Amino acid sequence: MDIIYLDNSATTKIKTEVLNEMMPYLTTEYGNASSLYSVGRKAKKAIEKARGQVAKLINCNPHEIYFTGSGSESDNTALKGFAYANKEKGNHIITSKIEHHAILETCETLERQGFEVSYINVDENGVIKIDELENAIRPSTILISVMTANNEIGTIQPIEEISKIARSRNIVFHTDAVQAIGNMPIDVEKMKIDMLSLSGHKINAPKGIGALYIKNGINVEKYINGGHQERNQRAGTENVAGIVGLGKACELSNKNMNTHIRNLSKIRDYYLNKLQKEMPQKIKINGGMENRLPGNANVSFAGVDASEMIFKLDEKGICVSSGSACSSGNTTPSHVLTAINVPEEYLNSAIRTTFGDTNTFEQVDYLVKVIKNLVTSKIKN
């Protein structure tokens, strides 16, 4: 049975071009980038090429890109590193209630260390309440961190408006762009972003590689101690192959973004329209459609248990999720759906379908057919 993979927000398949670019650094070009001899210098050169490719995707200086092990590490480094380095300026941080747990749990850790955090509400579409954010600012506020786009419902936040508020009050602005990178244009200069987190495996690069943009002049305390890699910001021998893969993936994303966005929007809309037309009972699309990632469709089916639905779909060769892959197995309702006030009858029945470049309309037809049968029978078969 062929697998129909529809969970591209959880992870993506490495593209052939990316893997081909990586292979020499997994085989013949195995040098340590900190070594002075030729194979080490080749590795160093490959890292710097990748740094430029990542920088070009978000329009920054290559020296403002720092490689990490994941998007979560980038988030931790940005928040903890900045908070520790600037605690004499203030101890207050602002974020939203629908952030990824890499942000929320980092904020909780900082709270236990004496920092104060304001968690801003969102509306029913998942958009942060700007007036509440502005009112939360204090003289002690040093950092605002709001994700570019939500990993569960795909809502895109008004980043330029938030960054304008932050800059007007001399507050540093960080955004978790892990889901947004490759799925929408991001220009850190135009959008006035001070720090930005991204992850490789969301854009057809390997797992275990991420990056953090830190605008020149922003002071962030070193998060991992040891060596002097990444301009003395992150100790540890570099994952050269992973870095090369991330760089190539960013290059491809930069080249193909318009086509990618157009194709994913078409297949997502086809899926939602077909669901609304063919389902025998009411469904609920979670999150607004106006400002949403192109491949994201989060839908609740009243009276259906999402976990059961996922297992039944898996038996039919279909891979979807109920939300963040990082929260799978958690029996509590989604903090994102709770924050946007999804009615209780829909709260535990949400299925997140996130499309990729290889998905087809025929796969969507099959998906809707299977969902319709499962919902009709209330997953008793």
Side-chain angles (χ1 to χ4, degrees):
M1 178 173 58
D2 292 334
I3 296 297
I4 299 176
Y5 185 76
L6 301 168
D7 198 17
N8 286 275
S9 283
T11 197
T12 56
K13 182 180 179 181
I14 297 179
K15 286 189 174 179
T16 301
E17 303 97 314
V18 172
L19 184 60
N20 290 341
E21 198 88 355
M22 292 171 61
M23 284 307 294
Y25 301 95
L26 292 168
T27 54
T28 56
E29 302 294 343
Y30 51 83
N32 186 320
S34 297
S35 301
L36 298 179
Y37 40 75
S38 59
V39 291
R41 294 197 303 272
K42 286 181 180 178
K44 182 69 172 177
K45 185 176 180 181
I47 288 174
E48 296 313 314
K49 176 184 176 183
R51 202 184 306 279
Q53 290 168 317
V54 176
K56 187 174 182 180
L57 180 61
I58 63 172
N59 188 32
C60 71
N61 188 307
H63 289 289
E64 296 174 315
I65 295 293
Y66 298 87
F67 292 113
T68 66
S70 64
S72 291
E73 184 190 326
S74 295
D75 284 342
N76 274 259
T77 303
L79 269 63
K80 292 178 182 174
F82 182 82
Y84 298 156
N86 296 276
K87 57 187 176 183
E88 76 284 351
K89 297 179 182 178
N91 71 335
H92 182 233
I93 296 166
I94 297 174
T95 190
S96 85
K97 288 186 176 180
I98 64 168
E99 297 296 308
H100 188 277
H101 287 292
I103 294 293
L104 295 177
E105 293 189 16
T106 299
C107 285
E108 290 168 7
T109 297
L110 288 169
E111 285 183 290
R112 291 192 293 270
Q113 296 172 350
F115 289 88
E116 297 179 354
V117 182
S118 295
Y119 300 90
I120 307 303
N121 289 301
V122 295
D123 65 20
E124 71 241 5
N125 292 322
V127 178
I128 194 167
K129 295 186 176 181
I130 292 292
D131 57 342
E132 187 176 324
L133 184 148
E134 286 190 280
N135 291 333
I137 294 174
R138 313 171 187 171
S140 60
T141 305
I142 55 173
L143 178 67
I144 296 173
S145 180
V146 176
M147 64 193 343
T148 309
N150 186 262
N151 50 302
E152 291 193 30
I153 58 175
T155 299
I156 298 171
Q157 299 294 345
I159 294 301
E160 290 188 59
E161 189 175 358
I162 298 169
S163 65
K164 183 178 180 180
I165 292 168
R167 188 152 294 197
S168 70
R169 304 291 289 270
N170 199 30
I171 300 168
V172 167
F173 175 58
H174 165 261
T175 187
D176 176 339
V178 167
Q179 293 292 335
I181 287 291
N183 289 310
M184 59 177 282
I186 295 179
D187 184 328
V188 296
E189 284 298 318
K190 179 184 177 183
M191 300 168 82
K192 307 301 181 186
I193 296 168
D194 297 309
M195 294 191 289
L196 177 147
S197 302
L198 62 90
S199 178
H201 75 107
K202 308 295 187 179
I203 56 168
N204 307 107
K207 301 172 184 67
I209 185 64
L212 175 62
Y213 157 73
I214 305 175
K215 185 177 178 63
N216 283 332
I218 302 294
N219 185 23
V220 175
E221 187 172 296
K222 187 174 184 177
Y223 186 57
I224 298 178
N225 296 301
H228 298 279
Q229 292 87 353
E230 291 303 289
R231 298 185 301 288
N232 201 32
Q233 279 296 116
R234 183 191 188 260
T237 302
E238 297 93 340
N239 174 7
V240 181
I243 290 170
V244 167
L246 175 58
K248 184 63 176 181
C250 286
E251 179 187 271
L252 293 172
S253 180
N254 211 15
K255 178 181 178 182
N256 303 320
M257 189 175 299
N258 290 338
T259 300
H260 171 81
I261 292 172
R262 183 170 61 250
N263 290 345
L264 264 59
S265 296
K266 284 181 180 179
I267 199 165
R268 190 256 336 261
D269 292 346
Y270 178 79
Y271 166 62
L272 293 176
N273 290 334
K274 194 171 182 69
L275 264 186
Q276 291 172 314
K277 180 180 178 181
E278 298 197 15
M279 287 303 296
Q281 66 184 81
K282 186 178 179 182
I283 65 172
K284 184 180 187 312
I285 299 172
N286 300 312
M289 292 301 298
E290 187 174 344
N291 292 303
R292 190 189 194 108
L293 292 179
N296 179 288
N298 189 304
V299 181
S300 288
F301 305 86
V304 174
D305 180 81
S307 297
E308 274 193 88
M309 173 82 89
I310 290 167
F311 284 122
K312 291 293 185 180
L313 288 170
D314 184 41
E315 290 176 356
K316 300 292 185 180
I318 300 169
C319 301
V320 298
S321 70
S322 58
S324 170
C326 305
S327 300
S328 60
N330 191 342
T331 57
T332 59
S334 158
H335 72 287
V336 175
L337 299 187
T338 301
I340 64 173
N341 295 316
V342 170
E344 188 172 349
E345 64 176 321
Y346 293 107
L347 199 53
N348 292 311
S349 64
I351 299 296
R352 182 187 71 173
T353 305
T354 44
F355 299 98
D357 292 324
T358 61
N359 292 131
T360 66
F361 293 105
E362 289 76 19
Q363 290 176 338
V364 171
D365 290 339
Y366 177 64
L367 170 65
V368 173
K369 178 183 177 181
V370 173
I371 289 177
K372 182 178 179 180
N373 289 338
L374 290 174
V375 172
T376 301
S377 64
K378 295 185 186 269
I379 322 183
K380 290 182 179 179
N381 298 331

